[in-house]
PDB file of all heavy atoms in Angstrom:
ATOM      1  N   GLY E   1      -1.954   5.823  -4.118  1.00  0.00           N
ATOM      2  CA  GLY E   1      -1.496   4.830  -5.172  1.00  0.00           C
ATOM      3  C   GLY E   1      -1.463   5.471  -6.551  1.00  0.00           C
ATOM      4  O   GLY E   1      -0.768   4.937  -7.409  1.00  0.00           O
ATOM      5  N   HIS E   2      -2.217   6.590  -6.747  1.00  0.00           N
ATOM      6  CA  HIS E   2      -2.147   7.211  -8.047  1.00  0.00           C
ATOM      7  C   HIS E   2      -2.075   8.749  -7.959  1.00  0.00           C
ATOM      8  O   HIS E   2      -2.496   9.460  -8.860  1.00  0.00           O
ATOM      9  CB  HIS E   2      -3.370   6.759  -8.818  1.00  0.00           C
ATOM     10  CG  HIS E   2      -3.467   5.436  -9.327  1.00  0.00           C
ATOM     11  ND1 HIS E   2      -3.771   4.361  -8.559  1.00  0.00           N
ATOM     12  CD2 HIS E   2      -3.044   4.856 -10.545  1.00  0.00           C
ATOM     13  CE1 HIS E   2      -3.630   3.222  -9.210  1.00  0.00           C
ATOM     14  NE2 HIS E   2      -3.186   3.503 -10.436  1.00  0.00           N
ATOM     15  N   SER E   3      -1.509   9.147  -6.884  1.00  0.00           N
ATOM     16  CA  SER E   3      -1.505  10.681  -6.707  1.00  0.00           C
ATOM     17  C   SER E   3      -0.629  11.357  -7.724  1.00  0.00           C
ATOM     18  O   SER E   3      -0.953  12.436  -8.195  1.00  0.00           O
ATOM     19  CB  SER E   3      -1.051  11.021  -5.263  1.00  0.00           C
ATOM     20  OG  SER E   3       0.165  10.303  -4.895  1.00  0.00           O
ATOM     21  N   GLY E   4       0.497  10.761  -8.078  1.00  0.00           N
ATOM     22  CA  GLY E   4       1.378  11.281  -9.131  1.00  0.00           C
ATOM     23  C   GLY E   4       0.636  11.481 -10.467  1.00  0.00           C
ATOM     24  O   GLY E   4       0.846  12.488 -11.168  1.00  0.00           O
ATOM     25  N   VAL E   5      -0.104  10.476 -10.850  1.00  0.00           N
ATOM     26  CA  VAL E   5      -0.841  10.529 -12.051  1.00  0.00           C
ATOM     27  C   VAL E   5      -1.912  11.674 -11.965  1.00  0.00           C
ATOM     28  O   VAL E   5      -2.036  12.419 -12.992  1.00  0.00           O
ATOM     29  CB  VAL E   5      -1.616   9.232 -12.307  1.00  0.00           C
ATOM     30  CG1 VAL E   5      -2.486   9.270 -13.523  1.00  0.00           C
ATOM     31  CG2 VAL E   5      -0.593   8.046 -12.426  1.00  0.00           C
ATOM     32  N   THR E   6      -2.558  11.750 -10.859  1.00  0.00           N
ATOM     33  CA  THR E   6      -3.614  12.864 -10.782  1.00  0.00           C
ATOM     34  C   THR E   6      -2.986  14.200 -10.748  1.00  0.00           C
ATOM     35  O   THR E   6      -3.477  15.107 -11.396  1.00  0.00           O
ATOM     36  CB  THR E   6      -4.412  12.635  -9.406  1.00  0.00           C
ATOM     37  OG1 THR E   6      -4.656  11.315  -9.220  1.00  0.00           O
ATOM     38  CG2 THR E   6      -5.672  13.459  -9.460  1.00  0.00           C
ATOM     39  N   ALA E   7      -1.829  14.327 -10.150  1.00  0.00           N
ATOM     40  CA  ALA E   7      -1.113  15.625 -10.149  1.00  0.00           C
ATOM     41  C   ALA E   7      -0.720  16.040 -11.589  1.00  0.00           C
ATOM     42  O   ALA E   7      -0.782  17.186 -11.947  1.00  0.00           O
ATOM     43  CB  ALA E   7       0.069  15.634  -9.270  1.00  0.00           C
ATOM     44  N   GLU E   8      -0.169  15.057 -12.392  1.00  0.00           N
ATOM     45  CA  GLU E   8       0.167  15.394 -13.721  1.00  0.00           C
ATOM     46  C   GLU E   8      -1.058  15.870 -14.508  1.00  0.00           C
ATOM     47  O   GLU E   8      -0.877  16.767 -15.477  1.00  0.00           O
ATOM     48  CB  GLU E   8       0.824  14.198 -14.334  1.00  0.00           C
ATOM     49  CG  GLU E   8       2.235  13.949 -13.869  1.00  0.00           C
ATOM     50  CD  GLU E   8       3.076  13.052 -14.700  1.00  0.00           C
ATOM     51  OE1 GLU E   8       2.569  12.686 -15.811  1.00  0.00           O
ATOM     52  OE2 GLU E   8       4.202  12.743 -14.355  1.00  0.00           O
ATOM     53  N   MET E   9      -2.263  15.339 -14.254  1.00  0.00           N
ATOM     54  CA  MET E   9      -3.463  15.791 -14.968  1.00  0.00           C
ATOM     55  C   MET E   9      -3.650  17.334 -14.690  1.00  0.00           C
ATOM     56  O   MET E   9      -4.220  18.032 -15.508  1.00  0.00           O
ATOM     57  CB  MET E   9      -4.634  15.026 -14.432  1.00  0.00           C
ATOM     58  CG  MET E   9      -4.726  13.637 -14.841  1.00  0.00           C
ATOM     59  SD  MET E   9      -6.202  12.897 -14.221  1.00  0.00           S
ATOM     60  CE  MET E   9      -5.967  11.157 -14.579  1.00  0.00           C
ATOM     61  N   ALA E  10      -3.297  17.746 -13.514  1.00  0.00           N
ATOM     62  CA  ALA E  10      -3.421  19.094 -13.050  1.00  0.00           C
ATOM     63  C   ALA E  10      -2.285  19.982 -13.421  1.00  0.00           C
ATOM     64  O   ALA E  10      -2.344  21.219 -13.173  1.00  0.00           O
ATOM     65  CB  ALA E  10      -3.678  19.187 -11.539  1.00  0.00           C
ATOM     66  N   GLY E  11      -1.238  19.450 -13.986  1.00  0.00           N
ATOM     67  CA  GLY E  11      -0.157  20.245 -14.613  1.00  0.00           C
ATOM     68  C   GLY E  11       1.031  20.509 -13.658  1.00  0.00           C
ATOM     69  O   GLY E  11       1.842  21.343 -13.924  1.00  0.00           O
ATOM     70  N   PHE E  12       1.157  19.640 -12.681  1.00  0.00           N
ATOM     71  CA  PHE E  12       2.343  19.750 -11.775  1.00  0.00           C
ATOM     72  C   PHE E  12       2.775  18.389 -11.406  1.00  0.00           C
ATOM     73  O   PHE E  12       2.096  17.367 -11.623  1.00  0.00           O
ATOM     74  CB  PHE E  12       2.137  20.684 -10.581  1.00  0.00           C
ATOM     75  CG  PHE E  12       1.049  20.214  -9.673  1.00  0.00           C
ATOM     76  CD1 PHE E  12       1.350  19.503  -8.521  1.00  0.00           C
ATOM     77  CD2 PHE E  12      -0.350  20.580  -9.842  1.00  0.00           C
ATOM     78  CE1 PHE E  12       0.366  19.028  -7.673  1.00  0.00           C
ATOM     79  CE2 PHE E  12      -1.343  20.149  -9.057  1.00  0.00           C
ATOM     80  CZ  PHE E  12      -0.979  19.333  -7.911  1.00  0.00           C
ATOM     81  N   ARG E  13       4.004  18.271 -10.701  1.00  0.00           N
ATOM     82  CA  ARG E  13       4.417  17.004 -10.280  1.00  0.00           C
ATOM     83  C   ARG E  13       4.680  16.951  -8.795  1.00  0.00           C
ATOM     84  O   ARG E  13       4.905  17.973  -8.167  1.00  0.00           O
ATOM     85  CB  ARG E  13       5.794  16.682 -11.013  1.00  0.00           C
ATOM     86  CG  ARG E  13       5.660  16.608 -12.507  1.00  0.00           C
ATOM     87  CD  ARG E  13       7.004  16.144 -13.042  1.00  0.00           C
ATOM     88  NE  ARG E  13       7.234  14.715 -12.722  1.00  0.00           N
ATOM     89  CZ  ARG E  13       8.445  14.001 -12.982  1.00  0.00           C
ATOM     90  NH1 ARG E  13       9.368  14.674 -13.673  1.00  0.00           N
ATOM     91  NH2 ARG E  13       8.467  12.796 -12.683  1.00  0.00           N
ATOM     92  N   LEU E  14       4.558  15.753  -8.226  1.00  0.00           N
ATOM     93  CA  LEU E  14       4.681  15.536  -6.835  1.00  0.00           C
ATOM     94  C   LEU E  14       5.980  14.767  -6.563  1.00  0.00           C
ATOM     95  O   LEU E  14       6.414  13.884  -7.385  1.00  0.00           O
ATOM     96  CB  LEU E  14       3.596  14.763  -6.287  1.00  0.00           C
ATOM     97  CG  LEU E  14       2.200  15.421  -6.118  1.00  0.00           C
ATOM     98  CD1 LEU E  14       1.143  14.445  -5.847  1.00  0.00           C
ATOM     99  CD2 LEU E  14       2.221  16.573  -5.129  1.00  0.00           C
ATOM    100  N   PRO E  15       6.712  15.006  -5.498  1.00  0.00           N
ATOM    101  CA  PRO E  15       7.938  14.270  -5.146  1.00  0.00           C
ATOM    102  C   PRO E  15       7.614  12.947  -4.514  1.00  0.00           C
ATOM    103  O   PRO E  15       7.807  12.697  -3.372  1.00  0.00           O
ATOM    104  CB  PRO E  15       8.629  15.211  -4.152  1.00  0.00           C
ATOM    105  CG  PRO E  15       7.568  15.902  -3.481  1.00  0.00           C
ATOM    106  CD  PRO E  15       6.450  16.100  -4.520  1.00  0.00           C
ATOM    107  N   ILE E  16       7.057  12.075  -5.368  1.00  0.00           N
ATOM    108  CA  ILE E  16       6.546  10.834  -4.799  1.00  0.00           C
ATOM    109  C   ILE E  16       6.905   9.704  -5.759  1.00  0.00           C
ATOM    110  O   ILE E  16       6.970   9.818  -7.023  1.00  0.00           O
ATOM    111  CB  ILE E  16       4.953  10.911  -4.728  1.00  0.00           C
ATOM    112  CG1 ILE E  16       4.559  11.616  -3.427  1.00  0.00           C
ATOM    113  CG2 ILE E  16       4.267   9.546  -4.801  1.00  0.00           C
ATOM    114  CD1 ILE E  16       3.055  11.852  -3.358  1.00  0.00           C
ATOM    115  N   GLU E  17       7.232   8.529  -5.155  1.00  0.00           N
ATOM    116  CA  GLU E  17       7.433   7.254  -5.846  1.00  0.00           C
ATOM    117  C   GLU E  17       6.369   6.186  -5.305  1.00  0.00           C
ATOM    118  O   GLU E  17       6.019   6.318  -4.197  1.00  0.00           O
ATOM    119  CB  GLU E  17       8.805   6.746  -5.602  1.00  0.00           C
ATOM    120  CG  GLU E  17       9.892   7.598  -6.190  1.00  0.00           C
ATOM    121  CD  GLU E  17      11.275   7.041  -5.885  1.00  0.00           C
ATOM    122  OE1 GLU E  17      11.526   6.683  -4.724  1.00  0.00           O
ATOM    123  OE2 GLU E  17      12.117   6.918  -6.778  1.00  0.00           O
ATOM    124  N   SER E  18       5.968   5.379  -6.144  1.00  0.00           N
ATOM    125  CA  SER E  18       5.073   4.274  -5.815  1.00  0.00           C
ATOM    126  C   SER E  18       5.671   2.943  -5.796  1.00  0.00           C
ATOM    127  O   SER E  18       6.245   2.492  -6.725  1.00  0.00           O
ATOM    128  CB  SER E  18       3.827   4.327  -6.737  1.00  0.00           C
ATOM    129  OG  SER E  18       3.243   5.604  -6.701  1.00  0.00           O
ATOM    130  N   PHE E  19       5.407   2.292  -4.604  1.00  0.00           N
ATOM    131  CA  PHE E  19       5.949   0.922  -4.459  1.00  0.00           C
ATOM    132  C   PHE E  19       4.817   0.023  -3.998  1.00  0.00           C
ATOM    133  O   PHE E  19       3.990   0.424  -3.168  1.00  0.00           O
ATOM    134  CB  PHE E  19       7.068   0.844  -3.364  1.00  0.00           C
ATOM    135  CG  PHE E  19       8.295   1.698  -3.616  1.00  0.00           C
ATOM    136  CD1 PHE E  19       8.380   3.047  -3.269  1.00  0.00           C
ATOM    137  CD2 PHE E  19       9.389   1.063  -4.233  1.00  0.00           C
ATOM    138  CE1 PHE E  19       9.412   3.768  -3.595  1.00  0.00           C
ATOM    139  CE2 PHE E  19      10.615   1.873  -4.477  1.00  0.00           C
ATOM    140  CZ  PHE E  19      10.576   3.165  -4.102  1.00  0.00           C
ATOM    141  N   PRO E  20       4.797  -1.246  -4.386  1.00  0.00           N
ATOM    142  CA  PRO E  20       3.872  -2.237  -3.785  1.00  0.00           C
ATOM    143  C   PRO E  20       4.379  -2.631  -2.469  1.00  0.00           C
ATOM    144  O   PRO E  20       5.648  -2.768  -2.272  1.00  0.00           O
ATOM    145  CB  PRO E  20       3.965  -3.434  -4.809  1.00  0.00           C
ATOM    146  CG  PRO E  20       4.737  -2.932  -6.047  1.00  0.00           C
ATOM    147  CD  PRO E  20       5.594  -1.797  -5.573  1.00  0.00           C
ATOM    148  N   LEU E  21       3.463  -2.766  -1.554  1.00  0.00           N
ATOM    149  CA  LEU E  21       3.821  -3.131  -0.115  1.00  0.00           C
ATOM    150  C   LEU E  21       3.236  -4.489   0.085  1.00  0.00           C
ATOM    151  O   LEU E  21       2.050  -4.678  -0.082  1.00  0.00           O
ATOM    152  CB  LEU E  21       3.236  -2.058   0.818  1.00  0.00           C
ATOM    153  CG  LEU E  21       3.530  -2.413   2.377  1.00  0.00           C
ATOM    154  CD1 LEU E  21       5.105  -2.216   2.613  1.00  0.00           C
ATOM    155  CD2 LEU E  21       2.748  -1.537   3.215  1.00  0.00           C
ATOM    156  N   GLN E  22       4.017  -5.412   0.470  1.00  0.00           N
ATOM    157  CA  GLN E  22       3.585  -6.792   0.620  1.00  0.00           C
ATOM    158  C   GLN E  22       2.789  -7.130   1.774  1.00  0.00           C
ATOM    159  O   GLN E  22       2.974  -6.591   2.910  1.00  0.00           O
ATOM    160  CB  GLN E  22       4.903  -7.718   0.690  1.00  0.00           C
ATOM    161  CG  GLN E  22       4.597  -9.231   0.555  1.00  0.00           C
ATOM    162  CD  GLN E  22       4.032  -9.527  -0.780  1.00  0.00           C
ATOM    163  OE1 GLN E  22       4.692  -9.306  -1.802  1.00  0.00           O
ATOM    164  NE2 GLN E  22       2.824 -10.051  -0.849  1.00  0.00           N
ATOM    165  N   ALA E  23       1.781  -7.869   1.610  1.00  0.00           N
ATOM    166  CA  ALA E  23       0.939  -8.367   2.773  1.00  0.00           C
ATOM    167  C   ALA E  23       0.294  -9.685   2.372  1.00  0.00           C
ATOM    168  O   ALA E  23       0.157 -10.059   1.289  1.00  0.00           O
ATOM    169  CB  ALA E  23      -0.209  -7.291   3.063  1.00  0.00           C
ATOM    170  N   PHE E  24      -0.111 -10.521   3.364  1.00  0.00           N
ATOM    171  CA  PHE E  24      -0.733 -11.733   3.139  1.00  0.00           C
ATOM    172  C   PHE E  24      -1.464 -12.227   4.450  1.00  0.00           C
ATOM    173  O   PHE E  24      -1.214 -11.697   5.487  1.00  0.00           O
ATOM    174  CB  PHE E  24       0.183 -12.857   2.607  1.00  0.00           C
ATOM    175  CG  PHE E  24       1.439 -13.052   3.289  1.00  0.00           C
ATOM    176  CD1 PHE E  24       1.618 -13.891   4.422  1.00  0.00           C
ATOM    177  CD2 PHE E  24       2.623 -12.241   2.914  1.00  0.00           C
ATOM    178  CE1 PHE E  24       2.782 -14.070   5.041  1.00  0.00           C
ATOM    179  CE2 PHE E  24       3.828 -12.485   3.581  1.00  0.00           C
ATOM    180  CZ  PHE E  24       3.884 -13.391   4.650  1.00  0.00           C
ATOM    181  N   VAL E  25      -2.382 -13.117   4.291  1.00  0.00           N
ATOM    182  CA  VAL E  25      -3.123 -13.704   5.444  1.00  0.00           C
ATOM    183  C   VAL E  25      -3.046 -15.124   5.345  1.00  0.00           C
ATOM    184  O   VAL E  25      -2.939 -15.862   4.312  1.00  0.00           O
ATOM    185  CB  VAL E  25      -4.560 -13.225   5.469  1.00  0.00           C
ATOM    186  CG1 VAL E  25      -4.713 -11.740   5.541  1.00  0.00           C
ATOM    187  CG2 VAL E  25      -5.342 -13.738   4.250  1.00  0.00           C
ATOM    188  N   SER E  26      -3.141 -15.795   6.558  1.00  0.00           N
ATOM    189  CA  SER E  26      -3.154 -17.212   6.723  1.00  0.00           C
ATOM    190  C   SER E  26      -4.503 -17.790   6.758  1.00  0.00           C
ATOM    191  O   SER E  26      -5.514 -17.101   6.693  1.00  0.00           O
ATOM    192  CB  SER E  26      -2.446 -17.610   8.044  1.00  0.00           C
ATOM    193  OG  SER E  26      -3.337 -17.390   9.152  1.00  0.00           O
ATOM    194  N   GLU E  27      -4.557 -19.036   6.806  1.00  0.00           N
ATOM    195  CA  GLU E  27      -5.906 -19.752   7.081  1.00  0.00           C
ATOM    196  C   GLU E  27      -6.399 -19.366   8.483  1.00  0.00           C
ATOM    197  O   GLU E  27      -5.593 -19.010   9.311  1.00  0.00           O
ATOM    198  CB  GLU E  27      -5.654 -21.260   6.929  1.00  0.00           C
ATOM    199  CG  GLU E  27      -4.670 -21.832   7.985  1.00  0.00           C
ATOM    200  CD  GLU E  27      -4.374 -23.245   7.861  1.00  0.00           C
ATOM    201  OE1 GLU E  27      -5.172 -23.967   7.229  1.00  0.00           O
ATOM    202  OE2 GLU E  27      -3.347 -23.654   8.295  1.00  0.00           O
ATOM    203  N   PRO E  28      -7.613 -19.412   8.645  1.00  0.00           N
ATOM    204  CA  PRO E  28      -8.188 -19.109   9.903  1.00  0.00           C
ATOM    205  C   PRO E  28      -7.780 -20.102  11.076  1.00  0.00           C
ATOM    206  O   PRO E  28      -7.630 -21.299  10.754  1.00  0.00           O
ATOM    207  CB  PRO E  28      -9.725 -19.167   9.733  1.00  0.00           C
ATOM    208  CG  PRO E  28      -9.923 -19.017   8.331  1.00  0.00           C
ATOM    209  CD  PRO E  28      -8.782 -19.674   7.692  1.00  0.00           C
ATOM    210  N   MET E  29      -7.594 -19.665  12.270  1.00  0.00           N
ATOM    211  CA  MET E  29      -7.294 -20.520  13.310  1.00  0.00           C
ATOM    212  C   MET E  29      -7.861 -19.921  14.665  1.00  0.00           C
ATOM    213  O   MET E  29      -8.340 -18.798  14.680  1.00  0.00           O
ATOM    214  CB  MET E  29      -5.772 -20.667  13.464  1.00  0.00           C
ATOM    215  CG  MET E  29      -5.077 -19.460  13.821  1.00  0.00           C
ATOM    216  SD  MET E  29      -3.250 -19.612  13.756  1.00  0.00           S
ATOM    217  CE  MET E  29      -3.028 -19.815  12.009  1.00  0.00           C
ATOM    218  N   LYS E  30      -7.765 -20.697  15.727  1.00  0.00           N
ATOM    219  CA  LYS E  30      -8.295 -20.168  17.040  1.00  0.00           C
ATOM    220  C   LYS E  30      -7.458 -19.093  17.498  1.00  0.00           C
ATOM    221  O   LYS E  30      -6.292 -18.874  17.123  1.00  0.00           O
ATOM    222  CB  LYS E  30      -8.252 -21.363  18.046  1.00  0.00           C
ATOM    223  CG  LYS E  30      -9.252 -22.499  17.717  1.00  0.00           C
ATOM    224  CD  LYS E  30      -9.227 -23.574  18.792  1.00  0.00           C
ATOM    225  CE  LYS E  30     -10.314 -24.619  18.488  1.00  0.00           C
ATOM    226  NZ  LYS E  30     -10.265 -25.693  19.557  1.00  0.00           N
ATOM    227  N   PRO E  31      -7.886 -18.216  18.415  1.00  0.00           N
ATOM    228  CA  PRO E  31      -7.143 -17.088  18.931  1.00  0.00           C
ATOM    229  C   PRO E  31      -5.805 -17.489  19.486  1.00  0.00           C
ATOM    230  O   PRO E  31      -5.738 -18.434  20.386  1.00  0.00           O
ATOM    231  CB  PRO E  31      -8.073 -16.481  19.975  1.00  0.00           C
ATOM    232  CG  PRO E  31      -9.446 -16.936  19.649  1.00  0.00           C
ATOM    233  CD  PRO E  31      -9.268 -18.255  18.994  1.00  0.00           C
ATOM    234  N   VAL E  32      -4.742 -16.897  19.048  1.00  0.00           N
ATOM    235  CA  VAL E  32      -3.445 -17.303  19.445  1.00  0.00           C
ATOM    236  C   VAL E  32      -2.544 -16.081  19.816  1.00  0.00           C
ATOM    237  O   VAL E  32      -1.646 -16.251  20.635  1.00  0.00           O
ATOM    238  CB  VAL E  32      -2.767 -18.130  18.420  1.00  0.00           C
ATOM    239  CG1 VAL E  32      -2.561 -17.350  17.128  1.00  0.00           C
ATOM    240  CG2 VAL E  32      -1.411 -18.710  18.926  1.00  0.00           C
ATOM    241  N   ILE E  33      -2.804 -14.949  19.163  1.00  0.00           N
ATOM    242  CA  ILE E  33      -2.024 -13.713  19.518  1.00  0.00           C
ATOM    243  C   ILE E  33      -2.976 -12.548  19.649  1.00  0.00           C
ATOM    244  O   ILE E  33      -3.647 -12.201  18.730  1.00  0.00           O
ATOM    245  CB  ILE E  33      -0.990 -13.451  18.336  1.00  0.00           C
ATOM    246  CG1 ILE E  33      -0.037 -12.285  18.721  1.00  0.00           C
ATOM    247  CG2 ILE E  33      -1.521 -13.373  17.014  1.00  0.00           C
ATOM    248  CD1 ILE E  33       1.148 -12.222  17.789  1.00  0.00           C
ATOM    249  N   ASP E  34      -2.932 -11.911  20.882  1.00  0.00           N
ATOM    250  CA  ASP E  34      -3.906 -10.854  21.080  1.00  0.00           C
ATOM    251  C   ASP E  34      -3.223  -9.534  21.213  1.00  0.00           C
ATOM    252  O   ASP E  34      -3.751  -8.582  21.891  1.00  0.00           O
ATOM    253  CB  ASP E  34      -4.602 -11.155  22.384  1.00  0.00           C
ATOM    254  CG  ASP E  34      -3.734 -11.313  23.614  1.00  0.00           C
ATOM    255  OD1 ASP E  34      -2.389 -11.137  23.450  1.00  0.00           O
ATOM    256  OD2 ASP E  34      -4.148 -11.494  24.736  1.00  0.00           O
ATOM    257  N   VAL E  35      -2.064  -9.326  20.417  1.00  0.00           N
ATOM    258  CA  VAL E  35      -1.379  -8.029  20.391  1.00  0.00           C
ATOM    259  C   VAL E  35      -0.921  -7.894  18.950  1.00  0.00           C
ATOM    260  O   VAL E  35      -0.686  -8.904  18.319  1.00  0.00           O
ATOM    261  CB  VAL E  35      -0.276  -8.001  21.514  1.00  0.00           C
ATOM    262  CG1 VAL E  35       0.753  -8.977  21.217  1.00  0.00           C
ATOM    263  CG2 VAL E  35       0.295  -6.629  21.664  1.00  0.00           C
TER     264      VAL E  35
END
């Protein structure tokens, strides 16, 4: 998540872009999906 920033501290650049990746969770429920 911050590798580009760290590389710049060391004096070089990385071929990297940073994107947020979406995730979320539901309320708890009984076992319904086991895969």
Side-chain angles (χ1 to χ4, degrees):
H2 287 83
S3 51
V5 175
T6 317
E8 287 196 3
M9 291 180 190
F12 62 93
R13 298 189 67 187
L14 290 171
I16 278 177
E17 295 178 312
S18 298
F19 298 86
L21 181 68
Q22 189 65 59
F24 47 92
V25 297
S26 75
E27 60 187 337
M29 63 186 72
K30 292 181 178 180
V32 64
I33 183 168
D34 59 358
V35 66

